[in-house]
Amino acid sequence: MHPLYALALHLTSPVSCYNQGMHIILTHENADFDAIASLLGAHKLYPNARPVLPRRVNGNVQSFLALYGTGLPFVDPDTLPRGQHVRRVILVDTQSLTYVRGMSKDINDVLVIDHHAPPDVLPVGWRFQGETLGATTTLLVEALSARLTPISRVEATLMLAGIYEDTGSLTYAATSSRDLRAAAWLIEQGASLEVVADFLEHPLTAMQQTIYDALKEHAETLVIDGHPVVLSWAESPPNTDEEISTLAHKLRDLFDPSALFVLVGIGNNTQFVARSSTDDINVAEVAAHFGGGGHDRAAAALIRHRHAVDVFTELRDLLPDFVRPRVKVRNVMSLGVRTVRASEPIHAVYQHMLRTGHEGFPVVDPEGNILGLVTRNAVDRARQHQWEYQPVERVMQHGAVSVSPEDSVERVRALMIQTGWGQIPVVEKGELIGVVTRTDLIRLPLSETNAVQQDIIRRMEHYFPAPLLALIRQIGELAAQQGYNVYFVGGIVRDLLLGHPLVDLDIVVEGHAITLGKMLVDKFGGEIHTHSRFGTVKWTLPAELWEKWQMANGKWQMAAPEESSPFQNPKSKIQNPKSQHLPDFIDLVTARTEFYEHPTALPLVERSSIKQDLHRRDFTINTLAIRLDPQRWGELLDFYGGKADLEAGVIRVLHSLSFIDDPTRILRAARFEARLGFHLDLQSESLIANALPMLDRITGGRIRHELDLIFREARPEAALDRLQAFGALAHIHPELVSDAWLHERFARLRQPENLALWNIATDGRESIPIDFYYWGLFFYRLSPGAVEHLIKRLLIPRRISSGLRALPTLKETLAKLETVERPSQIVTLLEPLAEELLPLGWLASDDSTIRAKLEQYAREWRHVQCEITGKDLKALGLPPSPLYRQIFETLRAARLDGEITTRAEEERRVHEILLSMQPKNNHPTNDHSTTRLTTT
């Protein structure tokens, strides 16, 4: 359940809503579309709270409300009833209270809903609900969507404008996949993109244009710790009261700075507006200096009795104090830097580079002062000109360039661009203490995207055996040479991010998978099996591949058979590939898109881009891809919000016809819910009911395959429960149920001692597989007619169907077993049953006596045999005949019932049998085949 949805259910309950006093919804002054849309969204969630308009609303928003505001629930602050006390405030898109009629200064029941980070400390009685997203409206739209709250086209358009304005029409860096999904949902509800575009591109008034031109003219760019910061000021013409946040948006789009500060003089006062796109510059702190407030990314202030140009001068001087690098040089620098003297010969520096692997060294004088930098390129060029004995100062890059440990990495990056140096020395208190290299910056998580990429690379290095990861790298390099891109896609990415075991190794090729497969065979050997319609390749790896893999120069690489590496370490050779879970084959799949000619049809396939390939998949959590080419190794592609859903534990379809296109996704959704502990989002689950009839139109084999996969899960009953809740089980057949009886038997089946008792396989061993018993218990209580119908409908294979068809016989046998006690009778009753039915009867039975008999039969009785053999009978003068069988059955029954226990007793019993066969006239007969055996 969405957190805001859950909170709304609580806050709108009778106990909480009808206590004495008003509930109101407030936002900030100079309200933009996100603020007003958030007022509306909060009211839709909390209908008993009144959405109060601020006194100052941006011009484009005011124009929208003038045209479309009829019917919207907004309340003017001056129309609030007198004499009524405000008991609760819901504060949206801001964390600062504005006061209206009926509010006391010490109000302590405040809910803040905002898309910026919460303050470190909240006042007593305040609660915060929000996440860092592109717009506050997104949070509220997600809750409305989860609650299936109906909204009008005008409401949808207003909320879409809120998202679009605060995300720069979904282009700003702070925009998240959730903003896109919220916008898509609003468009599905009828939001008009044309109307949104009209008001977001609202033409400036003549006065606004005058102010905007002055702001452009006075704009000044400062570079502070590597961040470009734009400041500007203007004076508003007399007798005007123009809002300036729209102008700030235009300036931000024009200059694209890390932070923007706009000052506009209005009469004797100055309006201050600030925007930031980096965590290093918190504009709310700057606004607070001037008596204002806001968020770390957006803030404002009204500075009374001061002219704009005076404030501009002060702001310019104090800004460096407010730029605080999130990541400093000391966080990324390498300590213990090696230096060289300017007088050292080039050949000596070259030897240092070979030994250390460094690509350059700072050059210092005898006192340790930095004189410049010598690079590997410069040394190599000098050696080409036979300058090995020339001093380094002849080829070094001159300059005393350095940074301090407290500098920002932005400053380092700027210096590298300015000087061309790949290494920047770090100096503290006049002492050279370290160096920052380009490699350090590459490793640096400069953004969320980069942090995710670095995390994925670490995960791949952790979960993949080194030789396998090296092979994947070489596949990526080979593909790149052909102009192809290759990716991990779907389940392997999902499981990698979740830390689950990795099973199948599939690689998607944005190009020709079959061509790439042939190239891999040419280079590494093995053989391929192709499917041209789908562009798929199964590359069976050569048996000796992993044995050839060896450590060389600290990196995994393939050594040619006839070569021996000078770096070879015998201990590094893969002694047991299976112990590292190295695969026998790799699947290559051409990126493709699929088209369904009609619901439930098998798809038509065309080659396509990776984005289209991902769009054809079932759920967003399976649309993630990882790039494997050298240039963008480990980069995560997330077009459809899969990572956010993975983190939230949500299973979501990509479009409203997903279950119609492929109804087996209903079964798959239940399986993923059970395996991952996730849940379908409410909107996806609501689509299932309409898709259930489509199950009748797909081949039964596809349904049976999905049930097979469910029975391979750790707890199949959890998935069956969900299918029952969806109505899918009853639709497949009305007699199918998942209940406490089935849960208990499934749990009994999985107990290790029971698996061992009945030799049930869970790992592919040559014994009866566990899935047979899941099927058997699932069908055990069905009528024979239902069993036969499902066998035919689901195309259940013979290895399972033969046992299912024998269920009536098994039940009859168990009923008879209740009435017999002698072991010989029990053996006679049970031996005709197929071996796999005995465990099924034991699992299904509620009768402990029956189960005890089955257990003793399995452990002991079925193994009891006679000691006397056919050879012994032949020695007694009995020719082979059906009499042998009668004698053995008699002896075995006597042994089972404890009447005889030794060979001598068996022999006596045989003699007794033979004597009983003599005719009454004492004339012997050899016609044993017609003589009936009498048991003494």
Side-chain angles (χ1 to χ4, degrees):
M1 182 179 292
H2 192 282
L4 282 177
Y5 180 14
L7 192 59
L9 291 178
H10 167 69
L11 292 179
T12 56
S13 67
V15 172
S16 61
C17 282
Y18 297 104
N19 291 336
Q20 186 175 4
M22 281 192 299
H23 296 183
I24 62 174
I25 308 170
L26 299 176
T27 188
H28 56 82
E29 293 295 325
N30 299 307
D32 56 9
F33 269 112
D34 189 30
I36 301 304
S38 297
L39 281 180
L40 174 63
H43 175 70
K44 301 291 287 187
L45 283 175
Y46 312 107
N48 295 294
R50 306 182 189 191
V52 181
L53 286 171
R55 298 187 182 279
R56 292 176 59 84
V57 176
N58 287 354
N60 56 346
V61 182
Q62 193 64 56
S63 298
F64 179 94
L65 294 177
L67 193 58
Y68 298 106
T70 304
L72 293 177
F74 299 123
V75 176
D76 189 285
D78 293 332
T79 63
L80 290 172
R82 297 182 182 276
Q84 270 200 269
H85 172 65
V86 174
R87 180 179 175 274
R88 171 176 291 135
V89 173
I90 300 170
L91 200 57
V92 296
D93 199 38
T94 182
Q95 299 173 22
S96 301
L97 271 178
T98 55
Y99 290 87
V100 296
R101 181 182 297 161
M103 279 179 64
S104 64
K105 295 293 183 182
D106 57 352
I107 187 166
N108 62 0
D109 190 350
V110 178
L111 169 64
V112 179
I113 303 173
D114 192 22
H115 69 117
H116 296 93
D120 294 334
V121 179
L122 282 170
V124 176
W126 286 42
R127 286 161 295 164
F128 180 87
Q129 187 70 52
E131 298 175 64
T132 304
L133 299 172
T136 300
T137 305
T138 295
L139 289 165
L140 296 155
V141 168
E142 287 179 335
L144 294 173
S145 169
R147 200 175 182 179
L148 302 179
T149 302
I151 60 175
S152 68
R153 292 190 65 189
V154 170
E155 291 171 334
T157 301
L158 174 56
M159 287 189 272
L160 184 64
I163 295 174
Y164 266 45
E165 186 174 53
D166 251 34
T167 63
S169 298
L170 306 175
T171 64
Y172 290 163
T175 305
S176 72
S177 58
R178 291 167 60 184
D179 297 300
L180 272 70
R181 273 204 305 275
W185 184 80
L186 291 169
I187 292 172
E188 289 174 355
Q189 309 312 305
S192 170
L193 282 167
E194 183 179 359
V195 172
V196 170
D198 285 345
F199 284 94
L200 293 187
E201 297 173 5
H202 205 56
L204 299 179
T205 66
M207 291 298 183
Q208 284 180 319
Q209 187 64 53
T210 299
I211 298 170
Y212 180 63
D213 291 340
L215 289 171
K216 287 196 296 182
E217 181 181 349
H218 296 145
E220 183 176 330
T221 300
L222 307 178
V223 178
I224 306 174
D225 279 328
H227 288 292
V229 179
V230 172
L231 298 79
S232 189
W233 67 275
E235 290 290 344
S236 176
N239 303 316
T240 61
D241 190 18
E242 298 289 347
E243 56 88 11
I244 61 173
S245 61
T246 299
L247 305 181
H249 276 295
K250 284 186 170 293
L251 288 170
R252 178 178 177 176
D253 292 340
L254 177 65
F255 293 106
D256 191 25
S258 294
L260 171 73
F261 296 88
V262 174
L263 304 164
V264 176
I266 304 174
N268 293 326
N269 305 322
T270 294
Q271 184 69 44
F272 168 105
V273 173
R275 299 289 185 266
S276 173
S277 60
T278 173
D279 293 335
D280 291 3
I281 306 174
N282 186 334
V283 293
E285 294 180 353
V286 184
H289 174 83
F290 292 104
H295 309 299
D296 53 354
R297 300 297 180 97
L302 179 62
I303 307 169
R304 298 185 182 277
H305 310 300
R306 292 192 63 182
H307 293 294
V309 67
D310 295 333
V311 178
F312 178 88
T313 302
E314 181 183 354
L315 178 63
R316 182 174 51 193
D317 293 338
L318 64 84
L319 264 182
D321 297 333
F322 288 96
V323 178
R324 301 186 183 95
R326 178 174 56 91
V327 181
K328 299 180 179 180
V329 167
R330 70 168 62 256
N331 302 130
V332 299
M333 60 185 269
S334 300
L335 296 172
V337 60
R338 179 183 292 272
T339 61
V340 297
R341 297 287 181 89
S343 58
E344 283 193 54
I346 290 172
H347 74 85
V349 176
Y350 174 69
Q351 292 301 319
H352 288 322
M353 289 178 172
L354 284 181
R355 284 194 298 271
T356 63
H358 293 172
E359 295 297 314
F361 297 118
V363 182
V364 297
D365 63 17
E367 286 74 37
N369 298 313
I370 297 171
L371 301 177
L373 181 79
V374 60
T375 66
R376 177 65 179 268
N377 285 339
V379 169
D380 286 343
R381 287 198 305 271
R383 294 179 68 242
Q384 289 174 1
H385 293 288
Q386 286 80 46
W387 280 17
E388 286 93 337
Y389 294 94
Q390 295 293 321
V392 160
E393 63 182 348
R394 294 285 302 272
V395 297
M396 73 181 191
Q397 295 171 298
H398 293 265
V401 178
S402 66
V403 292
S404 81
E406 297 304 310
D407 281 337
S408 72
V409 294
E410 294 296 335
R411 173 168 166 74
V412 175
R413 188 175 288 107
L415 283 174
M416 285 183 175
I417 294 171
Q418 177 184 342
T419 64
W421 290 21
Q423 298 173 317
I424 304 296
V426 182
V427 175
E428 185 175 36
K429 298 178 180 179
E431 181 183 353
L432 180 61
I433 62 170
V435 68
V436 182
T437 69
R438 289 194 179 102
T439 305
D440 294 326
L441 296 187
I442 290 172
R443 291 197 300 262
L444 177 68
L446 297 176
S447 64
E448 180 183 357
T449 300
N450 188 266
V452 170
Q453 183 175 1
Q454 297 303 316
D455 177 62
I456 286 173
I457 291 172
R458 284 191 294 270
R459 286 174 180 270
M460 289 197 294
E461 291 171 350
H462 176 75
Y463 287 106
F464 286 98
L468 175 57
L469 194 60
L471 178 61
I472 293 167
R473 281 186 179 274
Q474 294 210 14
I475 293 172
E477 292 171 5
L478 197 62
Q481 292 169 14
Q482 292 297 115
Y484 301 165
N485 292 321
V486 289
Y487 308 84
F488 283 146
V489 167
I492 192 171
V493 182
R494 179 196 67 226
D495 292 340
L496 184 71
L497 292 176
L498 290 174
H500 290 181
L502 306 179
V503 183
D504 298 323
L505 188 62
D506 297 342
I507 295 177
V508 172
V509 182
E510 204 170 25
H512 294 277
I514 295 176
T515 300
L516 180 59
K518 293 176 180 177
M519 295 171 62
L520 290 169
V521 170
D522 290 342
K523 181 169 183 176
F524 297 104
E527 58 182 27
I528 59 172
H529 300 278
T530 65
H531 192 307
S532 57
R533 179 190 169 199
F534 290 98
T536 60
V537 178
K538 186 184 184 105
W539 176 30
T540 302
L541 305 180
E544 70 280 6
L545 177 67
W546 303 122
E547 299 298 335
K548 292 180 180 178
W549 220 276
Q550 56 193 12
M551 281 292 282
N553 201 18
K555 296 181 180 180
W556 289 96
Q557 65 180 27
M558 191 70 177
E562 67 277 7
E563 295 176 352
S564 61
S565 169
F567 303 98
Q568 182 170 343
N569 177 358
K571 294 182 180 179
S572 68
K573 187 172 283 191
I574 305 302
Q575 301 298 329
N576 184 4
K578 297 298 182 184
S579 68
Q580 295 200 40
H581 307 291
L582 298 170
D584 298 319
F585 63 88
I586 294 175
D587 289 323
L588 305 173
V589 184
T590 301
R592 65 183 191 263
T593 187
E594 295 178 346
F595 303 93
Y596 293 86
E597 289 189 320
H598 56 81
T600 74
L602 289 174
L604 301 176
V605 176
E606 282 187 7
R607 197 174 140 219
S608 72
S609 67
I610 185 64
K611 185 173 183 180
Q612 290 173 305
D613 184 278
L614 296 173
H615 187 265
R616 70 181 175 83
R617 295 174 185 267
D618 46 14
F619 309 113
T620 57
I621 60 171
N622 292 331
T623 62
L624 297 167
I626 295 173
R627 288 193 65 148
L628 303 175
D629 55 286
Q631 296 301 316
R632 297 169 67 178
W633 173 261
E635 180 181 323
L636 182 71
L637 301 188
D638 182 11
F639 298 111
Y640 305 106
K643 185 172 182 291
D645 283 343
L646 205 61
E647 292 168 349
V650 171
I651 295 172
R652 189 192 313 272
V653 295
L654 274 72
H655 55 87
S656 60
L657 295 179
S658 181
F659 292 125
I660 299 289
D661 284 344
D662 185 358
T664 62
R665 289 172 177 168
I666 299 171
L667 287 82
R668 223 170 299 151
R671 175 160 57 90
F672 283 130
E673 280 192 331
R675 180 198 298 177
L676 304 174
F678 286 14
H679 64 276
L680 271 169
D681 73 293
L682 292 179
Q683 186 173 0
S684 296
E685 187 170 343
S686 70
L687 301 172
I688 289 178
N690 290 333
L692 287 176
M694 296 298 167
L695 287 170
D696 299 333
R697 298 173 59 177
I698 60 176
T699 62
R702 294 179 65 199
I703 297 176
R704 188 248 312 142
H705 175 68
E706 291 297 333
L707 289 171
D708 279 336
L709 294 176
I710 286 174
F711 290 144
R712 294 175 195 169
E713 296 295 329
R715 293 185 65 252
E717 59 270 28
L720 296 179
D721 282 350
R722 289 298 282 151
L723 290 177
Q724 184 163 278
F726 297 157
L729 282 189
H731 199 91
I732 295 170
H733 196 282
E735 292 188 27
L736 289 174
V737 294
S738 179
D739 55 12
W741 184 94
L742 193 68
H743 289 196
E744 182 183 341
R745 268 93 191 145
F746 277 13
R748 185 184 295 170
L749 167 62
R750 291 192 295 269
Q751 290 175 8
E753 61 271 22
N754 297 336
L755 295 172
L757 169 65
W758 297 105
N759 194 30
I760 297 172
T762 59
D763 56 3
R765 289 179 290 113
E766 290 187 3
S767 54
I768 304 168
I770 194 170
D771 63 337
F772 169 80
Y773 297 102
Y774 280 131
W775 278 105
L777 292 169
F778 192 37
F779 279 28
Y780 190 81
R781 293 172 292 169
L782 304 187
S783 65
V787 171
E788 189 61 33
H789 170 80
L790 285 168
I791 287 173
K792 294 177 179 178
R793 169 73 180 103
L794 302 182
L795 303 176
I796 296 177
R798 183 182 298 275
R799 70 176 183 86
I800 293 176
S801 64
S802 59
L804 299 179
R805 286 191 169 105
L807 286 176
T809 303
L810 174 62
K811 294 175 186 177
E812 291 173 10
T813 301
L814 295 182
K816 293 176 183 177
L817 190 61
E818 190 175 359
T819 63
V820 296
E821 298 298 333
R822 296 178 67 179
S824 60
Q825 295 172 316
I826 293 172
V827 170
T828 300
L829 191 62
L830 295 179
E831 271 194 331
L833 290 178
E835 182 181 359
E836 65 269 18
L837 292 179
L838 297 175
L840 185 57
W842 184 87
L843 290 164
S845 177
D846 293 316
D847 191 319
S848 59
T849 302
I850 290 176
R851 293 175 61 208
K853 291 175 181 177
L854 288 168
E855 264 192 69
Q856 195 161 2
Y857 171 78
R859 294 181 189 275
E860 177 185 349
W861 293 336
R862 67 176 172 179
H863 302 297
V864 172
Q865 297 296 333
C866 308
E867 289 189 43
I868 286 180
T869 66
K871 185 183 295 185
D872 297 322
L873 294 180
K874 195 172 182 179
L876 291 174
L878 289 176
S881 71
L883 180 60
Y884 277 31
R885 178 179 177 183
Q886 294 176 12
I887 292 173
F888 291 143
E889 287 177 351
T890 302
L891 293 177
R892 187 183 182 211
R895 268 193 175 271
L896 284 165
D897 295 337
E899 297 173 3
I900 59 178
T901 58
T902 66
R903 179 183 175 90
E905 290 175 332
E906 284 187 6
E907 290 174 351
R908 283 196 295 272
R909 180 62 60 91
V910 169
H911 283 292
E912 292 171 1
I913 293 171
L914 294 177
L915 286 174
S916 70
M917 292 168 51
Q918 298 298 323
K920 292 182 179 179
N921 58 8
N922 292 326
H923 291 293
T925 177
N926 286 327
D927 189 13
H928 302 305
S929 63
T930 60
T931 304
R932 298 297 298 170
L933 199 67
T934 303
T935 303
T936 304

